[in-house]
Amino acid sequence: MEPGGVITGAGRPAGPDGRPLDGIPAQAGAPACETAPRTGPRRPRPWLLLPTPTGTPFTFGYSAVLVATSLFMEFAAPDVVSAALRASSTDVTHLAQSPALVLVASALWIAGGLTSPFGLAFVIVLTALERRIGGLRTAAVFLLGHVLATLATEVPVGLSVAAGRLPDSSLHRLDYGISFGVAASIGALAGLLTRWPRRLILAVFAASLIEDLIGSTDPMTSWGHLLALAIGVATWPLVRRSRITARRAPAAGPGSPRTSRW
């Protein structure tokens, strides 16, 4: 401190003219500036329901592909569309010939087009799931439900045909779409919600699937939806651990860009 200096009210040394000296920190115990806490309600952010290229790249890119294939289904020649869907079908014959190819190709279409309820559910559910556990884990949940539920519904068909309980035409039943993956994603997302929203979503969705099963002319697909939902529920330990890990991940360091999946 310079001769004749004083201590300012903020706890910092001052010169003879009463102005604080630069470069000298405040004394211990000096009051610090505090930001007033936010007391108002948090504003709703409905845009977070939609995918973005940076926030949810997997869902955004996948949605773009589904929009393109749905427009193709809507405007292309019917015989061309029929041939494309037939080539993408995960029926028993195609699964036996090229399983990896048709399992991927069948997930590039929305049965019913853009107006399908599963199309809307895809955007909302996968966006919410990816914001919580990241793109790679969201893709893993979706593909797990899609692949396992498809195999679980088609393999019994092949066995039933071999046993003579179903006609040979069942080996070529048209099977494509994203619904199994969406059902698994709904089940996984429910595990990240609080108790009552989780129970409500599972109860309403399961009830709608059971109603479809009772009145459906294609019970194998309806059973596949229920199985995919159960697969999503089975991933709860994985998605919950992934969410905790993402929350506890340390920052890269001062000045590093801040990113968030939430």
Side-chain angles (χ1 to χ4, degrees), residues 14-162:
D17 57 355
R19 299 176 62 184
L21 297 177
D22 294 334
I24 302 179
Q27 294 181 356
C33 295
E34 297 182 358
T35 303
R38 298 175 61 182
T39 56
R42 179 178 294 182
R43 295 181 180 180
R45 296 179 291 176
W47 58 87
L48 293 180
L49 296 175
L50 300 177
T52 61
T54 55
T56 55
F58 169 72
T59 306
F60 183 85
Y62 202 164
S63 298
V65 172
L66 293 174
V67 169
T69 56
S70 297
L71 292 176
F72 173 83
M73 291 176 62
E74 182 70 21
F75 297 107
D79 56 337
V80 176
V81 174
S82 178
L85 294 179
R86 178 62 61 187
S88 303
S89 174
T90 51
D91 53 63
V92 177
T93 301
H94 282 104
L95 283 174
Q97 295 173 350
S98 52
L101 177 61
V102 293
L103 282 170
V104 173
S106 64
L108 301 180
W109 308 89
I110 304 177
L114 293 175
T115 59
S116 168
F118 279 104
L120 178 61
F122 174 91
V123 173
I124 296 177
V125 172
L126 267 75
T127 296
L129 190 60
E130 185 171 359
R131 290 190 186 279
R132 287 161 174 79
I133 66 174
L136 290 178
R137 295 182 179 93
T138 300
V141 169
F142 182 91
L143 290 176
L144 190 67
H146 174 71
V147 171
L148 293 184
T150 297
L151 295 177
T153 52
E154 292 296 341
V155 170
V157 171
L159 295 177
S160 298
V161 171

Side-chain angles (χ1 to χ4, degrees), residues 1 4-15 18 20 24 27:
M1 182 184 304
V6 297
I7 302 297
T8 66
R12 299 187 61 181
I24 302 179
Q27 294 181 356

